[in-house]
Amino acid sequence: DQVLKYHTATHLLHQALFDVIGGDVRQEGSNITGERLRFDFFTTKTIDKTSDMERVEKIINEKINEKLPMRFKLMDKKDAEKVGARSFFREKYPDRVKVYYIGGTDDQPETAYSKEFCGGPHVSNTSEIGMLTIQKLEKIGSNLYRIYAK
């Protein structure tokens, strides 16, 4: 159960990073266990370890408290890209993809808070995640960062 919660939380984390740091944030990997989530990302922006991470954490927990539904829709890849769904940078995707989105409505994924190409599985509602705390942010390479959260 905890792995599902953390997996869904990575979607919130990815979007919150994009919101706080900016448009060049790109997921580079993740590792999820029952004890924590780890999220690796690229950005050319300078990150303030305290204020930026506090803002990211606040956004994530606001979305959890909003009790947003988690939905998915099978879409043509081009349509998924048009509605703003994010994809894993190095991954190759088929012409039809599964897009998981947080918030929005069944027929309007473009209005969702977070939209990503993903195979699942996830929680059905953000309220199931519980509060998330960013434990650590570290630089792991040139423009590469790693976040640990619980």
Side-chain angles (χ1 to χ4, degrees), residues 11 34 42 48 77 85-86 116 119 121 127 131 138 142:
H11 289 261
F42 167 90
D48 183 300
K77 182 180 171 186
R86 299 190 194 297
E116 292 192 32
S127 65
M131 303 309 284
E138 61 186 10
S142 178

Side-chain angles (χ1 to χ4, degrees), residues 24-41:
D24 78 339
V25 167
R26 182 178 71 227
Q27 180 179 354
E28 290 293 323
S30 67
N31 179 273
I32 300 163
T33 69
E35 288 75 44
R36 55 98 180 118
L37 73 81
R38 189 188 83 202
F39 187 86
D40 299 343
F41 68 98

Side-chain angles (χ1 to χ4, degrees), residues 3 17 25 55 59 63 77 90 98 105 110 124 133:
V3 172
L17 286 166
V25 167
R55 288 172 50 209
I59 290 169
K63 298 304 177 186
K77 182 180 171 186
R90 293 187 180 108
K98 200 175 210 182
T105 62
E110 62 273 8
S124 60
T133 303

Side-chain angles (χ1 to χ4, degrees), residues 3-4 6 29 46 53 74 83 86 98 119 139-140:
V3 172
L4 291 180
Y6 284 152
T46 301
M53 290 304 102
L74 192 59
V83 300
R86 299 190 194 297
K98 200 175 210 182
K139 189 165 178 141
I140 58 171

Side-chain angles (χ1 to χ4, degrees), residues 78-98:
K78 288 182 181 185
D79 292 336
E81 291 167 344
K82 284 180 190 172
V83 300
R86 299 190 194 297
S87 58
F88 190 61
F89 180 65
R90 293 187 180 108
E91 198 71 29
K92 299 289 183 204
Y93 295 96
D95 292 336
R96 301 247 328 139
V97 295
K98 200 175 210 182

Side-chain angles (χ1 to χ4, degrees), residues 56-119:
V56 167
E57 185 178 293
K58 182 178 183 221
I59 290 169
I60 292 167
N61 287 311
E62 284 171 354
K63 298 304 177 186
I64 290 169
N65 285 330
E66 287 175 26
K67 301 177 181 175
L68 299 172
M70 182 68 154
R71 298 180 169 97
F72 75 88
K73 188 172 187 175
L74 192 59
M75 305 175 73
D76 287 337
K77 182 180 171 186
K78 288 182 181 185
D79 292 336
E81 291 167 344
K82 284 180 190 172
V83 300
R86 299 190 194 297
S87 58
F88 190 61
F89 180 65
R90 293 187 180 108
E91 198 71 29
K92 299 289 183 204
Y93 295 96
D95 292 336
R96 301 247 328 139
V97 295
K98 200 175 210 182
V99 175
Y100 274 87
Y101 56 103
I102 299 172
T105 62
D106 283 335
D107 59 342
Q108 292 185 307
E110 62 273 8
T111 63
Y113 173 67
S114 166
K115 303 167 280 290
E116 292 192 32
F117 293 26
C118 191

